[in-house]
Amino acid sequence: NAGVTQTPKFQVLKTGQSMTLQCAQDMNHEYMSWYRQDPGMGLRLIHYSVGAGITDQGEVPNGYNVSRSTTEDFPLRLLSAAPSQTSVYFCASSLRRRLTTHNEQFFGPGTRLTVL
Amino acid sequence: GQQLNQSPQSMFIQEGEDVSMNCTSSSIFNTWLWYKQDPGEGPVLLIALYKAGELTSNGRLTAQFGITRKDSFLNISASIPSDVGIYFCAGQLKSGNTGKLIFGQGTTLQVKP
């Protein structure tokens, strides 16, 4: 298993540009989520999905869209990038939403995004 | 919103020393997790706790799920240089259905050989 993969690893955008951050997992996990990490603030939930075709907003969803057309993929779209979206973005997945023994949440390596 | 207060914010210790860090909250959690993040990498799960009072070890690491369900601590014994990194606590709330993990602000650990 490759686990959770994310592309690209680094990205620089200009204000107003759009782009998609890719996330994929090969563990047949139902639950996938996107977090952003900012200095001194830990990780904050952007959007999540409990299965193909089902998505919902997290704590900081504004400026981001997601879709879940397959179990494996959960892309994050920035519609019109702003400097406030400069951050490190992590995708995570788990077998199910409620964490229990043998149902742990795994993180991808992250995408480092800079918006100028 | 819900918050986890993680302390200390940073530690600079000598190789061989023991390390202790903790997380506290005013909310009740079903699950406590401890992650380590190396520079340029994603968080890697160290220890997961699912029951109040649970004490779990992973090599030199020991973590406990507080009896009140509102806190957790992580101990690292006999630290070595490769323990350097940022340690995060994370909790999944007893209430709510988003599956969201709430993260502490992190403890940056530096180990002097």
Side-chain angles (χ1 to χ4, degrees), chain A residues 81-104:
Chain A
S84 60
Q85 294 178 304
T86 293
S87 187
V88 183
Y89 291 85
F90 289 102
C91 180
S93 76
S94 59
L95 191 60
R96 291 177 297 278
R97 172 169 42 194
R98 177 63 66 186
L99 299 180
T100 59
T101 306
H102 305 303
N103 176 34
E104 295 158 353

Side-chain angles (χ1 to χ4, degrees), chain A residues 27-32 49-51 93-106, chain B residues 92 97-100:
Chain A
M27 299 173 281
N28 204 30
H29 283 175
E30 289 182 355
Y31 182 83
M32 297 184 74
S49 168
V50 298
S93 76
S94 59
L95 191 60
R96 291 177 297 278
R97 172 169 42 194
R98 177 63 66 186
L99 299 180
T100 59
T101 306
H102 305 303
N103 176 34
E104 295 158 353
Q105 190 159 133
F106 297 95
Chain B
Q92 194 172 56
N97 63 358
T98 68
K100 172 175 78 170

Side-chain angles (χ1 to χ4, degrees), chain A residues 47-113:
Chain A
H47 285 284
Y48 67 96
S49 168
V50 298
I54 306 169
T55 64
D56 209 341
Q57 295 181 351
E59 186 181 352
V60 288
N62 292 341
Y64 308 96
N65 273 1
V66 292
S67 59
R68 185 95 179 268
S69 56
T70 67
T71 300
E72 294 78 19
D73 300 298
F74 190 43
L76 178 73
R77 280 183 289 278
L78 281 70
L79 306 174
S80 178
S84 60
Q85 294 178 304
T86 293
S87 187
V88 183
Y89 291 85
F90 289 102
C91 180
S93 76
S94 59
L95 191 60
R96 291 177 297 278
R97 172 169 42 194
R98 177 63 66 186
L99 299 180
T100 59
T101 306
H102 305 303
N103 176 34
E104 295 158 353
Q105 190 159 133
F106 297 95
F107 284 80
T111 294
R112 283 138 191 88
L113 176 68

Side-chain angles (χ1 to χ4, degrees), chain B residues 11-17 79-81 84 109-113:
Chain B
M11 302 182 75
F12 189 86
I13 62 170
Q14 198 78 28
E15 182 177 359
E17 289 183 352
S79 58
I80 60 178
V84 165
L109 178 64
Q110 298 180 47
V111 180
K112 185 178 180 182

